[in-house]
Amino acid sequence: MKLRYRFANQVVGVFVILAVALTVALIVLMGSNQRWFKKNFYYHSYFTTASDIAPGMPITFRGFTIGKVTAITLQEDNNVDVEFYIQEEFIDKANEDSLIQLVTSPLGGGQIIFHQGRMATDPPPEGAVIPTYDSKQGLRLREENRVIVLRSTDAIAQALDQIDPILSNVDLVLSNLAVLTDDLNATLRGEASGPVAGILAGAEGAVAELEQTVVRVNQVLDDTTEQINSLLGEVEGIASNLGETTAALRDPTGLVPMLLDPKGSLATLLDDDNVLFDQIVGIIADLELSIGSLQESIADVENFTEYLNTTQPQLTGILEEGRQTLDASQDVIESLRNNPLLRGGIPEAQEQPSTFESIRDEAF
Amino acid sequence: MGAIERIGAATIGRVRGLLYALGFMVDVFKQTFRFVTRRKVGSRVLTMQVLFTGVEALSVVATISLSLGAVIVIQGLSLLPQFGQGQLIFDVLIIVITRELGPLLTAVIVTARSGTAISTELGNMVISHEIEAYVVTGINPIRHIVAPRFIGVTLSTLLLNLYFNIFGLLGSFVVTQFVNPIPLGEYLNGMLASLSLTDVVSSVVKSIVFGAIIALIATYHGLQVERATTEIPVAAIRSVSHGITMLIIANAIITLVYYI
Amino acid sequence: MEPDDRPDEPESADPGQAEDLLAALGGAPADDTAPVSAPIEDRVVEPEPPACRLVGIAVAADGHDILQEVSIDLPAHACTVIMGPSGSGKSTLLKTAAGLIVPDTGYVEILGTDPSHAGDRELERLRARNGFVFQDDALWQNLSLLQNLTLPLQYHRHDLASDSVTERINRLVGELGATRRLEMRPANVSAGERKIISFVRAIVGDPEILFLDEPTTSVDGEHADLMIRKLKELKEHNITLVAVTHDARIASQLADYVIVLKEGRVLRFGSLHEISRSNEPEIERILTDVLSETATYDGDILELLDPDTNTYLT
């Protein structure tokens, strides 16, 4: 009798026990890996659309997956009920003022970001509704600063943090320009006491600064073209600033009418050895350049936005608005340039000096 | 005799055969239940059946599953990353090894080894009046002969399938180390994340059903032998061809049910 | 009822009763010289139900009739020997009587139970009351000789402790002279030993009816004698014996009744006395043919069967 047959019971016992043990181990590992034994806390949220939301989508908090979407259903009122859970081990992160926000990435696939409420409270009861970022309640919570919205939670927010000071700088420059235009107007009307050249020099500096700023904005925008998501508000800001500037330029009592007014200080200007003219032309050219480059960056943004078109339709609208504003300002600049007086006069004036000089020289 | 009569006779014969086989199946289930509840005498037969069908087939199963795991990993790792879907290798491994080929290949191995053996053995027992000896001694041959083989083959198929999975999934890890080394922890994590309980349940259900099919068909054909020794090889051949056909049909049905 | 008296009892059986029975069974007409007459014990005193009743049995295989119109009551507590030329359906009759072959028509009652209508449990209990010795040994090849003997007891005799099982087996094996090591597999011992072991297997569970299909073939004379002695002892213990045999010793020493089969039909069923004194040439010829295979006795073959004159074994 073979040894194997004599110890058949033992051999079969080992065979069975080993298989069962390995399987049990596998299932236990699977269980711990897939959190079978952990409790999940279920909540609801209402979105306006289910596009980009799918069951299984992760809920993240500071980069950690703390839960998942389990079901989406279309309600009677056309809202989309999104059921999701928060894992037991993260449930203490949830509190009364929490928000959730849908963030989609350009390459498809998105995530839902969880924003913790500022006040430390117990987690909301299971089955409670957690407002979304864009809902009225979410907006109110944000306005009342009751929710911690971490800008640094994503790269877009970081980029925007960078842009913020730059944009406020642009703001400053533009308001300086407005002040300057007022001063220039005053000077041209003969109301100012300071020397015109000095003011204009200041204006030149401001324009240079604006140009630099625009370059910097450009850089940042280049850096963040992939993460343009929340740029809207800021672009709107730029647009409105530019709008203000353009409005200033359009002001009937402003610079342009003064320049065009033959009864104004044109003679003074002409008498000033063309210095003022050159400077004005320079300013306008610079301004045009700045606006051009800003327009370029917005065009870049727009190009990118076209890509994002489906996901962020509102961005296009705002950018379009911004561009319209820029176009309007450019029109004004263009009208300045194309002003018959300036166009006819300035080139001549540029060529004239030698003639004038010679005549004057000869006259003397 | 007209064609209609022939068709009619053939149909009646078929239906009778089917009913007989169904009756046999019901009887096997009934006697298996009795064997389990009143098991005292036949445990040795069961042990030996698991030894022959399970333990002795382990080396074949291990070899096949190791090489299958290796082949899937090699092919998968050369193909999938081209679509940027390298992570899918685990899903492919699980579908092929756990869900489909694991149970089916194990069952085919068991059919080839033990299905034939059981048919031949039972055929011989009929010829040498051993079955009659059981009947006349008041020992139900279905309970004493078929039930332990039924349990043994079903259990062995299940266990072999578990081993097939273990070897196949771990074997692929060993091969991965040569092709594209990744740490064991990461491999296990990826594997465990892709492996769902439904996969495991589906695999287990399949191997149990397959084992039952093999045992039923093998014992049925074995007991179909009546008088002549020449019937024995015929029974063995029938048990293999019939068995494999039924396995593939059952596999399709279970997979279908699983996806529905 | 004394076993010694029994051989004479059929003579005292009321022939009229037998006729009634036959008539009831649709058998041969009531006639003293009827080819089939059922020997029935005196029921007036104590009606003894038959151990085994076969009613209108027909068995066919491959389109050939093996048994036809067999209706017999095998008497209890007696030994019935089935005789007939080869191919006359003796083994089939025996297996049908034992409930191993389900007849195509007719039915069988063993100890009052029809096996084809019995439930599983009932059938199992009924089987446990029967023993069957196959022509070939039909030992379970995958078990040792000892396991072959213990398995029926494990199934049916839960009352026996393992000690008494061993004791019982050893005693029986000793009585029959099979002293070889019982751990061996059937394939490793001689055909004669296998036959003896299969005989022991049939009687180890104390059956009430013992069916024997050529129990002494391939067993040497000495062991056959031991076997016959054991059968006698069993008979003394009121066990019903039904045997198919060519062995004149079994026929002469054990038989109370004889069934003579020819071509699947019962030619004659009667007490040994009746049969052995029969002067029908056909029966005489069949018995001569059958018994000459084992007997070397060259005298009157029918004398051989007569227990009163037979000194063959004593």
Side-chain angles (χ1 to χ4, degrees):
Chain A
M1 198 187 248
K2 275 193 202 168
L3 207 62
R4 177 183 275 182
Y5 298 156
R6 189 175 306 157
F7 295 107
N9 285 327
Q10 287 85 339
V11 172
V12 169
V14 170
F15 177 72
V16 173
I17 289 166
L18 200 64
V20 170
L22 283 170
T23 310
V24 168
L26 184 81
I27 289 175
V28 166
L29 276 177
M30 258 171 74
S32 62
N33 200 289
Q34 298 173 8
R35 308 186 53 261
W36 294 347
F37 311 113
K38 294 282 173 64
K39 187 175 161 45
N40 292 326
F41 292 80
Y42 287 85
Y43 296 104
H44 291 267
S45 274
Y46 294 101
F47 285 81
T48 47
T49 169
S51 57
D52 295 317
I53 306 174
M57 202 169 165
I59 313 279
T60 59
F61 175 69
R62 300 193 185 217
F64 286 89
T65 297
I66 60 166
K68 273 183 181 151
V69 173
T70 50
I72 47 177
T73 39
L74 186 61
Q75 302 288 101
E76 284 283 313
D77 57 1
N78 291 343
N79 272 329
V80 177
D81 177 14
V82 174
E83 188 196 49
F84 62 96
Y85 66 81
I86 289 176
Q87 298 172 10
E88 190 181 17
E89 54 268 43
F90 294 108
I91 192 62
D92 55 331
K93 303 292 174 203
N95 47 24
E96 295 292 350
D97 293 337
S98 304
L99 289 183
I100 65 165
Q101 180 187 11
L102 174 67
V103 175
T104 48
S105 98
L107 281 170
Q111 57 178 356
I112 290 178
I113 295 177
F114 179 85
H115 299 293
Q116 198 179 10
R118 199 170 287 283
M119 225 161 43
T121 64
D122 284 338
E126 263 200 277
V129 173
I130 293 191
T132 58
Y133 191 82
D134 300 317
S135 65
K136 271 184 200 160
Q137 206 186 343
L139 205 65
R140 189 171 52 78
L141 285 173
R142 279 189 288 149
E143 275 170 1
E144 290 171 7
N145 200 18
R146 281 164 61 186
V147 62
I148 307 167
V149 177
L150 264 201
R151 306 248 77 163
S152 53
T153 46
D154 59 322
I156 295 165
Q158 277 174 1
L160 291 176
D161 286 349
Q162 249 184 315
I163 287 178
D164 253 356
I166 297 170
L167 289 171
S168 57
N169 216 349
V170 171
D171 229 7
L172 194 69
V173 172
L174 289 171
S175 64
N176 280 349
L177 260 177
V179 171
L180 187 110
T181 335
D182 285 351
D183 283 358
L184 190 62
N185 271 344
T187 310
L188 291 173
R189 272 187 243 118
E191 287 164 5
S193 51
V196 173
I199 295 163
L200 284 173
E204 201 176 8
V207 168
E209 207 181 327
L210 178 65
E211 203 175 340
Q212 271 178 16
T213 309
V214 166
V215 169
R216 273 159 63 202
V217 170
N218 253 347
Q219 279 171 357
V220 175
L221 285 178
D222 279 346
D223 290 342
T224 57
T225 41
E226 289 179 8
Q227 308 144 334
I228 218 72
N229 203 14
S230 304
L231 200 54
L232 324 173
E234 276 70 24
V235 171
E236 223 163 6
I238 298 174
S240 69
N241 273 328
L242 285 172
E244 270 171 38
T245 312
T246 320
L249 289 170
R250 270 178 177 159
D251 188 349
T253 59
L255 172 64
V256 179
M258 282 305 166
L259 285 170
L260 300 178
D261 188 6
K263 288 174 189 168
S265 306
L266 190 60
T268 326
L269 284 166
L270 292 172
D271 284 348
D272 200 14
D273 241 353
N274 283 338
V275 175
L276 186 56
F277 259 110
D278 286 349
Q279 277 175 345
I280 288 173
V281 168
I283 291 167
I284 288 167
D286 282 351
L287 203 59
E288 205 175 6
L289 203 69
S290 305
I291 288 169
S293 61
L294 201 60
Q295 212 167 8
E296 256 172 41
S297 28
I298 286 182
D300 282 350
V301 171
E302 200 185 19
N303 282 341
F304 192 75
T305 313
E306 267 173 45
Y307 183 62
L308 293 179
N309 229 351
T310 49
T311 54
Q312 300 285 2
Q314 68 269 46
L315 180 63
T316 326
I318 287 163
L319 285 176
E320 186 57 37
E321 207 175 290
R323 203 175 58 157
Q324 277 168 9
T325 318
L326 283 175
D327 282 348
S329 12
Q330 205 178 23
D331 285 347
V332 175
I333 303 288
E334 200 69 22
S335 68
L336 274 176
R337 260 176 63 142
N338 293 346
N339 183 280
L341 180 71
L342 287 175
R343 194 170 63 174
I346 290 162
E348 278 167 20
Q350 275 178 330
E351 278 169 28
Q352 262 176 354
S354 56
T355 326
F356 269 88
E357 265 175 28
S358 60
I359 293 167
R360 232 174 21 187
D361 285 352
E362 279 169 13
F364 277 105
Chain B
M1 170 149 140
I4 294 173
E5 271 177 69
R6 272 202 304 270
I7 291 170
T11 311
I12 289 168
R14 282 267 157 176
V15 169
R16 276 211 186 121
L18 196 69
L19 287 178
Y20 181 79
L22 278 177
F24 176 77
M25 196 172 88
V26 171
D27 201 25
V28 169
F29 287 147
K30 200 167 77 182
Q31 296 300 337
T32 302
F33 176 74
R34 288 204 188 148
F35 177 84
V36 173
T37 50
R38 283 190 260 157
R39 186 157 62 99
K40 221 176 157 185
V41 185
S43 62
R44 177 80 183 166
V45 185
L46 176 58
T47 308
M48 294 315 278
Q49 194 60 51
V50 175
L51 185 73
F52 292 136
T53 308
V55 178
E56 292 187 355
L58 193 56
S59 57
V60 185
V61 164
T63 314
I64 290 180
S65 68
L66 276 172
S67 4
L68 187 68
V71 167
I72 294 168
V73 166
I74 292 166
Q75 298 281 20
L77 286 182
S78 66
L79 188 67
L80 290 175
Q82 291 177 17
F83 311 114
Q85 302 290 331
Q87 187 66 20
L88 274 183
I89 188 74
F90 294 118
D91 294 287
V92 173
L93 267 174
I94 285 162
I95 287 175
V96 174
I97 290 182
T98 307
R99 273 202 225 148
E100 291 299 326
L101 284 190
L104 196 59
L105 272 183
T106 319
V108 170
I109 293 166
V110 171
T111 309
R113 290 183 79 259
S114 302
T116 49
I118 288 171
S119 293
T120 312
E121 190 191 9
L122 293 198
N124 272 316
M125 289 176 101
V126 174
I127 302 286
S128 66
H129 304 288
E130 287 182 51
I131 301 292
E132 279 181 310
Y134 280 117
V135 171
V136 88
T137 317
I139 299 172
N140 189 320
I142 302 287
R143 194 198 310 171
H144 190 77
I145 301 293
V146 178
R149 279 166 181 74
F150 179 75
I151 298 173
V153 168
T154 309
L155 184 68
S156 298
T157 312
L158 171 64
L159 293 175
L160 282 178
N161 180 34
L162 295 178
Y163 280 107
F164 192 101
N165 275 279
I166 290 159
F167 283 115
L169 300 183
L170 288 184
S172 58
F173 169 71
V174 175
V175 178
T176 316
Q177 292 314 293
F178 293 110
V179 186
N180 176 23
I182 52 170
L184 180 63
E186 197 192 319
Y187 180 86
L188 275 180
N189 267 335
M191 182 65 75
L192 291 171
S194 301
L195 192 63
S196 74
L197 196 60
T198 8
D199 294 327
V200 179
V201 169
S202 152
S203 188
V204 165
V205 165
K206 272 189 182 181
S207 53
I208 289 174
V209 171
F210 292 172
I213 287 174
I214 297 166
L216 282 173
I217 288 176
T219 50
Y220 176 77
H221 284 294
L223 293 177
Q224 284 289 91
V225 171
E226 282 178 6
R227 290 184 185 84
T229 46
T230 48
E231 295 172 44
I232 295 171
V234 176
I237 290 166
R238 278 204 189 132
S239 108
V240 170
S241 56
H242 192 182
I244 288 177
T245 314
M246 291 299 285
L247 287 180
I248 287 167
I249 293 171
N251 186 46
I253 291 172
I254 297 173
T255 304
L256 208 65
V257 167
Y258 178 84
Y259 280 107
I260 290 171
Chain C
M1 180 179 312
E2 290 303 306
D4 290 347
D5 299 342
R6 207 138 6 110
D8 299 321
E9 275 172 12
E11 292 177 308
S12 63
D14 182 3
Q17 224 166 1
E19 283 157 26
D20 289 348
L21 186 71
L22 281 168
L25 296 175
D31 185 345
D32 265 347
T33 57
V36 178
S37 72
I40 290 165
E41 295 176 31
D42 194 354
R43 290 183 190 180
V44 179
V45 180
E46 189 187 331
E48 182 81 18
C52 198
R53 163 175 281 184
L54 291 90
V55 181
I57 300 295
V59 176
D62 296 334
H64 298 283
D65 293 328
I66 295 176
L67 289 180
Q68 293 175 72
E69 296 169 32
V70 176
S71 295
I72 289 173
D73 284 357
L74 296 174
H77 315 307
C79 175
T80 308
V81 170
I82 302 168
M83 285 187 176
S86 297
S88 58
K90 304 186 295 290
S91 290
T92 307
L93 178 60
L94 189 72
K95 284 184 179 175
T96 310
L100 266 178
I101 292 175
V102 179
D104 297 323
T105 55
Y107 66 92
V108 179
E109 267 179 23
I110 304 164
L111 297 167
T113 307
D114 182 349
S116 56
H117 289 105
D120 286 350
R121 295 277 187 90
E122 199 182 356
L123 195 58
E124 237 168 70
R125 276 195 296 272
L126 178 66
R127 301 287 193 203
R129 294 161 74 189
N130 295 344
F132 199 105
V133 179
F134 288 87
Q135 189 166 9
D136 48 357
D137 51 80
L139 288 180
W140 299 309
Q141 299 287 327
N142 57 345
L143 303 178
S144 72
L145 297 177
L146 184 65
Q147 286 168 330
N148 264 283
L149 298 179
T150 50
L151 190 63
L153 295 179
Q154 284 175 326
Y155 260 89
H156 300 301
R157 300 297 298 266
H158 304 291
D159 53 315
L160 293 177
S162 61
D163 289 358
S164 59
V165 167
T166 321
E167 190 269 339
R168 175 189 287 253
I169 287 168
N170 285 337
R171 180 171 50 80
L172 286 173
V173 168
E175 280 176 32
L176 288 157
T179 52
R180 286 284 289 270
R181 289 187 301 146
L182 292 176
E183 310 82 64
M184 295 179 92
R185 292 286 177 113
N188 295 329
V189 301
S190 74
E193 277 170 301
R194 286 205 295 271
K195 198 66 186 262
I196 294 164
I197 295 297
S198 83
F199 179 73
V200 175
R201 182 178 69 184
I203 62 172
V204 75
D206 290 335
E208 290 173 40
I209 308 177
L210 184 60
F211 297 93
L212 303 129
D213 196 351
E214 305 282 7
T216 52
T217 43
S218 69
V219 179
D220 62 60
E222 189 190 337
H223 286 98
D225 290 347
L226 291 171
M227 204 183 272
I228 290 163
R229 192 162 295 159
K230 185 68 196 171
L231 284 171
K232 273 185 173 169
E233 186 191 318
L234 291 172
K235 205 177 137 190
E236 281 163 20
H237 284 88
N238 274 347
I239 289 165
T240 308
L241 301 178
V242 184
V244 168
T245 188
H246 290 152
D247 194 329
R249 289 169 296 183
I250 292 181
S252 61
Q253 293 187 50
L254 294 167
D256 300 319
Y257 304 102
V258 174
I259 297 170
V260 181
L261 274 183
K262 193 193 174 196
E263 287 165 7
R265 288 174 188 276
V266 177
L267 205 62
R268 180 61 73 92
F269 175 29
S271 70
L272 182 65
H273 260 78
E274 197 184 321
I275 301 287
S276 60
R277 284 169 180 73
S278 164
N279 45 16
E280 267 181 64
E282 193 174 14
I283 290 173
E284 214 169 313
R285 191 172 48 74
I286 288 172
L287 293 182
T288 312
D289 285 350
V290 169
L291 295 173
S292 63
E293 284 177 30
T294 48
T296 49
Y297 187 78
D298 54 2
D300 186 354
I301 195 76
L302 296 174
E303 204 175 306
L304 180 71
L305 278 174
D306 195 338
D308 298 337
T309 56
N310 191 321
T311 54
Y312 188 71
L313 266 176
T314 47

